[in-house]
Every structure is written in structure tokens, then in C-alpha cells.
């Protein structure tokens, strides 16, 4: 049976990708941001999962304002990096897992989450920056990746609660897959940031840290936050945080926090990062 072995959240700021790609991670501006991922890189290199279900949003790279799926699952064999205006990032092509993706599609749709299915998809910084932060600059990514794109760009995005419920459905879907696979779920995006309008540059560290705390210990209450509260407290693009609730829903009721990192600034945003393990997995290890 496939198992969910860990979950992770991270911001996915495009300038982080540019910093890595241009060898600038040790400059004074960037060094403290990247230092918070050192623990994660070691942990990730020691035991890469077979598959990562990577929750992210497309930033008008693969989708356009004429085509806005709320939840879209990457069911293809591979996903090349998108050209976001400066040429595609020099990162490996992402290898998918069409068999597990087909199973997820069937299980989730029969569980009444009506996903859009994507058989051809170019992936932007929302997906490739988290991979770079965790796995560095390898010749090939060490795991297969199933992209799960969420609309947080064009109103109306899904609620945090809907995302949390989708995470729980992903957990049921993975646990009903007969192959013996280790699967991680990553929720990317956030923390507080606003890229537009009079409040451009807005950051709210108090809200961000409370969000990370509640993601670990009180996700049921966190899932009740309405859209307007995200916009007010975390800025217009802070709505990306709902994607982290998909990760948390997939972990089951209780998690152990393994690592966290919070740093301001990273480009126009606060950087937040968390690694957790579901308690049932820890129980299996202990037994
Ligand atoms: C920026 C872009 C993002 O997509 C994001 O999630 C955070 C920051 C930026 O352009 O700074
Ligand atoms: Fe983003």
C-alpha cells in the first residue's frame, strides 16, 4: 500500500529560483534565507520519497485568464519548465507518475472533487522553486512529481476549508493505491505578500507565524478562515496560503513538526517553510 510519509510547505518566490540559477545564494541578502533550508536538504537527500504530490499555483504561465481550472492534476509523463519571460529555468524536466495520477484522478473524482486533468503542462516557479530549495541543482530530480495546480490567481479561489477537505481526500486516495510507495505532499505559496495596489509590499509576520503554528496544531480551526481575512491579514497574494491546507489535510489528524524556517524579506514576501511527519507513520516506525 502507498503511504504518506511527510509533508512540507514552502514559499515559491521566483527570485529564489533566479538566485539559485545565477549562483548568488551566498550573497548577504540571500544567505540567511537559504540557511533555513540546510536542514531540509540533508533530510531530503537521506530519504527521497518515490513521489511528491506538489500543490502549487500556476502564475498565468500554463493557464491564461481565459482558462482557469480551480483544481488541476498533472497526469502526464513529464512536465517541462515554463518560459516565464526570461527563458525556461535551467532545471531538469519534472518526471510525472501517470499511474498514480490516474488513480488519484479516479479516487478524487469519485470522492466528489471534480478535478481538471492535464496531460500536457509546463510548470512555472510555483513548482520548480520548491524543488530547487529542497533538492538543489541535480542532473535529474530524485523523485517523481505529480503537480496539483490550484487557482489562487483569479477570483474566486477555493476556500481554505475546501482545500483542507481535498487534502483529506488525497490521503484516502493514496492509502487505497496498492503499490508500496512513499508519497510526500508539498503545499507551496505564501506567506503574507501583496504584489499590487496601495498595500504592495505588505507583510504581516504575526499572522504568518500564527498560521504556521495553527497549521501544525489546529488545522480544523485554521481551515475556517474566510477569503477576506486572508486578504486583510496576509495581503492579496497571501491567499496562496490556502494551498498549505491541502498538505495538512493529507497528513491526518496529528503531525510532528520536524523543522521550520521563517524569514523576511525574500523578494516581496515573507518566506515560510515547514516540514512535518504524520503521527501514524511515526507510530509504524516505533512499532
Ligand atoms: C513573488 C511571486 C510569487 O508568485 C510569490 O508567491 C511570492 C512572491 C514575487 O514576485 O516577489
Ligand atoms: Fe506565487
Amino acid at each position: 500500500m502507498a503511504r504518506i510519509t511527510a509533508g512540507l510547505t514552502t514559499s515559491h518566490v521566483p527570485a529564489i529560483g533566479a538566485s539559485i540559477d545565477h549562483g548568488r545564494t551566498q550573497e548577504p541578502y540571500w544567505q540567511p534565507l537559504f540557511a533555513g533550508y540546510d536542514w531540509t536538504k540533508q533530510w531530503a537527500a537521506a530519504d527521497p520519497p518515490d513521489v511528491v504530490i506538489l500543490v502549487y499555483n500556476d502564475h498565468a504561465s500554463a493557464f491564461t485568464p481565459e482558462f482557469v481550472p480551480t483544481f488541476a492534476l498533472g497526469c502526464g509523463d513529464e512536465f517541462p519548465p515554463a518560459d516565464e519571460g526570461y527563458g525556461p529555468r535551467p532545471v531538469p524536466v519534472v518526471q510525472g507518475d501517470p499511474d498514480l495520477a490516474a488513480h488519484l484522478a479516479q479516487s478524487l473524482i469519485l470522492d466528489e472533487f471534480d478535478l481538471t486533468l492535464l496531460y500536457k503542462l509546463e510548470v512555472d516557479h510555483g513548482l520548480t522553486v520548491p524543488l530547487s530549495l529542497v533538492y538543489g541543482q541535480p542532473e535529474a530530480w530524485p523523485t517523481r512529481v505529480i503537480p496539483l495546480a490550484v487557482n489562487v490567481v483569479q477570483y474566486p479561489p477555493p476556500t481554505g476549508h475546501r482545500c483542507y477537505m481535498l487534502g483529506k481526500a488525497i490521503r484516502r486516495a493514496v492509502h487505497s493505491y496498492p503499490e508500496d510507495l512513499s508519497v510526500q505532499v508539498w503545499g507551496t505559496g505564501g506567506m503574507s505578500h501583496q504584489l499590487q495596489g496601495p498595500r504592495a509590499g505588505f507583510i504581516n509576520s504575526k499572522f504568518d507565524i500564527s498560521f504556521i503554528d495553527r497549521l501544525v496544531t489546529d488545522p480544523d480551526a485554521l481551515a475556517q478562515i474566510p477569503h477576506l481575512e486572508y486578504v486583510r491579514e496576509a495581503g492579496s497574494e497571501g491567499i496562496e496560503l490556502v494551498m498549505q491546507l491541502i498538505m495538512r489535510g493529507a497528513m491526518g489528524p496529528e503531525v510532528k513538526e520536524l523543522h521550520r524556517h521563517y524569514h523576511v524579506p525574500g523578494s516581496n514576501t515573507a518566506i515560510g517553510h515547514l516540514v512535518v511527519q504524520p503521527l501514524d507513520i511515526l507510530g509504524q516506525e516505533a512499532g
Side-chain angles (χ1 to χ4, degrees):
M1 180 184 102
R3 294 157 302 134
I4 293 187
T5 49
L8 179 157
T9 65
T10 179
S11 309
H12 60 213
V13 178
I16 292 178
S19 173
I20 295 170
D21 299 343
H22 295 104
R24 297 175 66 166
T25 61
Q26 293 313 306
E27 292 179 2
Y29 177 88
W30 291 107
Q31 193 278 333
L33 187 157
F34 286 103
Y37 289 85
D38 287 346
W39 182 92
T40 309
K41 278 187 166 160
Q42 286 198 356
W43 167 83
D47 187 19
D50 297 299
V51 186
V52 171
I53 299 172
L54 204 156
V55 183
Y56 78 113
N57 66 290
D58 179 82
H59 302 73
S61 305
F63 310 147
T64 71
E66 292 89 40
F67 179 72
V68 186
T70 301
F71 297 117
L73 191 71
C75 298
D77 288 320
E78 56 178 36
F79 309 100
D83 181 350
E84 298 180 59
Y86 301 91
R89 288 193 61 214
V91 293
V93 170
V94 172
Q95 301 301 316
D97 187 331
D99 291 339
L100 177 57
H103 172 81
L104 288 176
Q106 170 170 292
S107 178
L108 292 170
I109 289 171
L110 296 184
D111 217 350
E112 302 183 346
F113 285 88
D114 306 315
L115 304 179
T116 298
L117 305 183
L118 306 168
Y119 295 92
K120 196 169 171 211
L121 170 68
E122 294 184 353
V123 286
D124 74 7
H125 68 269
L127 186 136
T128 62
V129 165
L131 285 171
S132 300
L133 279 168
V134 174
Y135 294 122
Q137 294 174 291
E139 287 287 307
W141 299 120
T143 76
R144 303 192 289 280
V145 175
I146 297 180
L148 174 55
V150 179
N151 167 41
V152 288
V153 169
Q154 191 157 306
Y155 189 84
T159 62
H161 183 255
R162 185 69 173 154
C163 290
Y164 187 48
M165 292 294 123
L166 175 57
K168 291 184 178 194
I170 288 172
R171 182 173 177 80
R172 290 191 287 275
V174 169
H175 284 175
S176 65
Y177 192 59
E179 211 179 310
D180 188 20
L181 294 181
S182 162
V183 178
Q184 292 184 3
V185 181
W186 296 7
T188 77
M191 300 296 291
S192 58
H193 64 299
Q194 172 139 353
L195 304 178
Q196 56 188 315
R199 287 206 309 168
F202 175 78
I203 283 173
N204 182 350
S205 296
K206 197 166 165 226
F207 176 84
D208 288 340
I209 289 165
S210 158
F211 187 93
I212 300 172
D213 289 342
R214 288 180 284 170
L215 196 62
V216 175
T217 60
D218 197 6
D220 289 0
L222 188 62
Q224 298 302 325
I225 292 185
H227 283 149
L228 272 180
E229 192 172 327
Y230 282 101
V231 176
R232 192 174 60 236
E233 299 294 331
S236 52
E237 278 68 42
I239 190 68
E240 289 187 349
L241 285 167
V242 295
M243 295 186 287
Q244 301 196 2
L245 281 159
I246 297 180
M247 178 289 287
R248 186 60 185 84
M251 294 300 116
E254 285 191 70
V255 294
K256 180 177 182 209
E257 179 174 336
L258 300 183
H259 176 66
R260 83 159 74 176
H261 174 49
Y262 183 77
H263 175 79
V264 179
S267 187
N268 301 304
T269 175
I271 302 301
H273 171 47
L274 177 73
V275 183
V276 295
Q277 230 169 2
L279 271 196
D280 63 339
I281 286 290
L282 291 172
Q284 280 171 24
E285 279 175 359

